Amino acid sequence: MVVQVVLVHGIRTSATMWRSQVEYLRERGNPVVAVDLPGHGSRMDEEFTIDAAFATIDEAVTDAATRGLVLLVGHSMGGLLCVEYVGAEDRPPVAGLVAASCTAIPRGVGLAAYRMLARGFDSLPDRGMWLTDRMLDRILPHETRADFGAGGYALDAQDVALRSLSVLDLLAAVGRIDVPLWFVNGQYDQLRVNERLFTRLAPHAELVVVPRTTHHVTVMRPEVFNALLHLAITTLEQT
């Protein structure tokens, strides 16, 4: 059976951030679905809740699992949610996990500082979009620049989503994951802060650090990330 792939985006963005990966996977012959979490993308008018986010992931995974092994791939907030989901005591039908840009515990001073920074941007006349666009123009290649924000930016859901992440028990979840697992970080990703802790709790996991890359590894280095998806899919095909 062909490996099925489910993609889960990060905070503020949407399923469109995965366009490069969706195109690659379809050309490779792997069925793929990129979900929109509540409050994001095509579901911008919905309220973000952690339960609704998990329900979205579970619905996509459960459906894909009827057709083959499932590789779950999450970035940033999506990666944190996927780690918690795969590491649940009641194991979901996931055969492998790629968790990108998410080796951090969203609690305490770090989370408070991030929320304060986000609220500061949100208080600007354009809600910080001028600065955001200038930064993305500098770091993203032309072929993926439009993809990142094509589904709109979930500015209204951001603080609620960040606050919701504090309930996750990621340390327990990571320790329970027994399927093939890849942590993928950009060299300059601020969420590498707990990288060693995550790999210590999951000694079977592979850690891949992409040189000269920031938090936005999937769109900043799409060819590299697609090669990592190829590695993960090939691994599952051989199990």
Side-chain angles (χ1 to χ4, degrees):
M1 299 177 73
V2 178
V3 174
Q4 316 284 308
V5 183
V6 175
L7 305 171
V8 185
H9 64 80
I11 200 164
R12 296 212 312 171
T13 184
S14 71
T16 66
M17 66 164 278
W18 297 109
R19 283 176 175 172
S20 174
Q21 284 71 45
V22 168
E23 180 181 5
Y24 167 75
L25 290 165
R26 286 176 176 167
E27 289 178 352
R28 193 184 186 281
N30 293 97
V32 55
V33 58
V35 303
D36 272 332
L37 294 172
H40 295 72
S42 62
R43 304 172 65 186
M44 197 85 72
D45 59 345
E46 298 181 30
E47 179 183 1
F48 180 92
T49 68
I50 203 79
D51 289 341
F54 282 127
T56 298
I57 296 169
D58 185 62
E59 181 180 359
V61 167
T62 302
D63 179 63
T66 64
R67 296 182 293 276
L69 297 177
V70 177
L71 175 67
L72 183 60
V73 183
H75 175 260
S76 192
M77 177 183 72
L80 294 171
L81 293 172
C82 289
V83 167
E84 182 86 358
Y85 175 75
V86 176
E89 291 185 6
D90 185 10
R91 305 298 172 85
V94 173
L97 171 63
V98 176
S101 306
C102 62
T103 50
I105 307 299
R107 290 182 182 172
V109 174
L111 179 60
Y114 193 98
R115 290 180 65 193
M116 184 179 298
L117 179 63
R119 287 195 293 266
F121 266 69
D122 202 42
S123 68
L124 296 173
D126 64 346
R127 304 188 75 176
M129 288 311 304
W130 185 88
L131 288 174
T132 297
D133 285 338
R134 298 294 78 73
M135 178 195 72
L136 294 175
D137 287 344
R138 289 185 58 128
I139 67 172
L140 299 186
H142 175 74
E143 59 266 28
T144 59
R145 172 63 184 91
D147 299 342
F148 193 74
Y153 291 102
L155 302 177
D156 293 335
Q158 181 171 238
D159 193 60
V160 173
L162 287 170
R163 184 175 69 245
S164 300
L165 296 178
S166 65
V167 306
L168 302 181
D169 190 0
L170 292 168
L171 300 185
V174 171
R176 285 192 291 260
I177 295 175
D178 58 4
V179 298
L181 171 62
W182 294 264
F183 293 121
V184 182
N185 290 328
Q187 180 181 0
Y188 306 121
D189 189 349
Q190 66 272 23
L191 296 193
R192 292 184 64 188
V193 61
N194 297 124
E195 189 178 78
R196 292 185 179 181
L197 176 59
F198 275 57
T199 54
R200 186 166 70 247
L201 291 170
H204 71 290
E206 294 189 45
L207 171 64
V208 180
V209 177
V210 182
R212 304 179 304 281
T213 307
T214 68
H215 181 68
H216 304 293
V217 59
T218 62
V219 283
M220 190 173 180
R221 301 291 293 280
E223 292 183 358
V224 173
F225 198 81
N226 291 346
L228 294 172
L229 292 182
H230 174 76
L231 170 65
I233 292 169
T234 301
T235 300
L236 298 190
E237 289 173 339
Q238 296 174 349
T239 58

